Amino acid sequence: MKSNIKKKTYQAIYRLLDRVSPITEDCGALCGAACCTCGGDSQEEEGLDYDLGIYLLPGEEKLFTMKEEWLKWSVEYAEDYDFPDSWFGKVYFVRCKTPPVCPRESRPLQCRFFPLAPHLSEEGRLQLIWSTSELPYSCPLITEKRALNASFIQATYTVWKHLIRDTLIFDLVEMDSQDREAAGVNYQVVYQL
Ligand code: SF4
Ligand code: SF4
């Protein structure tokens, strides 16, 4: 799938997000790194019925060789999944082989944004909300509505503001936002301008 976002832009985004984290302490210590470890091979072996992959945004795969030893890759077709109609062709999913250990500077964007998610208001305003994804674990940052670092919120907002200039990514955020509204999801705004 062709993205307008260049590799060097994704690299700059990674560098910006490398410098921030949701809270100052290691939030993985609060929950046993639930968001990293809940979708790994151990759960498959235990017969649980979820298998969380991390999908890459269109073009984000340019930052990887697909030979990383810590990642397992799946290539799927957007048409087969619940992606916007404008999406077609390959989408890349990764799963970590050694969670919660990974090269921090190489974490996919989806790992870096959590527990925040982008939302477009009905007036088209970009907002950051607590993630409303249905997950097989609970994130204490969300359940306790912990105060997040302002630097993390600001950097995440800046990145999403840039990312949604790409029509494919805009369509994804718009679709997710409309789905939330249609389902009456009670989302909570963390930040907006
Ligand atoms: S983001 Fe939430 S679920 Fe993930 S490690 Fe931090 S506290 Fe745990
Ligand atoms: S890439 Fe790193 S941060 Fe993301 S789920 Fe895997 S171990 Fe966790």
Coordinates of all heavy atoms in Angstrom, one line a residue, residues 35-36 54 70 96 99-102 107-108 111, ligand 2:
C35 N 0.7 -5.1 28.1 CA 0.4 -4.8 26.7 C 1.4 -5.4 25.8 O 1.2 -5.5 24.6 CB 0.3 -3.3 26.5 SG 1.7 -2.3 26.9
C36 N 2.6 -5.8 26.4 CA 3.6 -6.5 25.6 C 3.4 -8.0 25.6 O 3.7 -8.7 24.6 CB 5.0 -6.2 26.1 SG 5.5 -4.5 25.9
I54 N 0.6 -6.5 16.2 CA 0.8 -5.1 16.1 C 0.8 -4.8 14.6 O 1.6 -5.3 13.9 CB 2.1 -4.7 16.7 CG1 2.2 -5.2 18.2 CG2 2.4 -3.2 16.6 CD1 3.7 -5.2 18.7
W70 N 13.7 -10.6 16.6 CA 12.8 -10.4 17.7 C 11.3 -10.3 17.2 O 10.4 -10.2 18.0 CB 13.2 -9.2 18.6 CG 13.3 -7.9 17.8 CD1 14.3 -7.5 17.0 CD2 12.4 -6.8 17.8 NE1 14.1 -6.3 16.5 CE2 12.9 -5.8 17.0 CE3 11.2 -6.6 18.4 CZ2 12.3 -4.6 16.7 CZ3 10.5 -5.3 18.2 CH2 11.1 -4.4 17.3
C96 N 5.9 -9.9 18.7 CA 7.2 -10.0 19.4 C 7.5 -11.4 19.8 O 6.6 -12.0 20.4 CB 7.2 -9.1 20.6 SG 6.8 -7.4 20.1
P99 N 8.8 -10.7 24.2 CA 8.2 -9.6 25.0 C 8.5 -9.8 26.5 O 8.5 -10.9 27.0 CB 6.7 -9.7 24.7 CG 6.5 -11.1 24.4 CD 7.7 -11.6 23.7
P100 N 8.7 -8.8 27.3 CA 8.6 -7.3 26.9 C 10.0 -6.8 26.5 O 10.1 -5.6 26.5 CB 8.1 -6.7 28.2 CG 8.8 -7.5 29.3 CD 8.8 -8.9 28.8
V101 N 10.9 -7.7 26.1 CA 12.2 -7.2 25.7 C 12.2 -6.9 24.2 O 11.8 -7.8 23.4 CB 13.3 -8.2 26.1 CG1 14.6 -7.7 25.6 CG2 13.3 -8.4 27.6
C102 N 12.6 -5.7 23.8 CA 12.7 -5.4 22.4 C 13.7 -4.3 22.3 O 14.0 -3.6 23.3 CB 11.4 -5.0 21.8 SG 10.7 -3.5 22.4
R107 N 10.7 0.0 18.4 CA 9.3 -0.4 18.7 C 8.4 0.2 17.6 O 8.5 1.4 17.3 CB 8.8 0.2 20.0 CG 9.4 -0.6 21.2 CD 9.1 0.3 22.5 NE 9.7 1.6 22.3 CZ 9.1 2.7 22.8 NH1 8.0 2.7 23.4 NH2 9.8 3.9 22.6
P108 N 7.4 -0.6 17.1 CA 6.4 0.0 16.2 C 5.6 1.2 16.8 O 5.5 1.3 18.0 CB 5.5 -1.2 15.9 CG 6.3 -2.4 16.2 CD 7.2 -2.0 17.4
C111 N 3.0 0.6 19.5 CA 3.5 0.4 20.9 C 3.7 1.8 21.6 O 3.6 1.9 22.8 CB 4.8 -0.3 20.9 SG 4.6 -2.0 20.3
Ligands
SF4_2 S1 7.7 -4.2 20.3 FE1 8.4 -4.0 22.4 S2 7.0 -2.5 23.3 FE2 6.0 -3.4 21.5 S3 4.8 -5.1 22.2 FE3 6.9 -5.9 21.6 S4 8.1 -5.9 23.4 FE4 6.3 -4.6 23.8

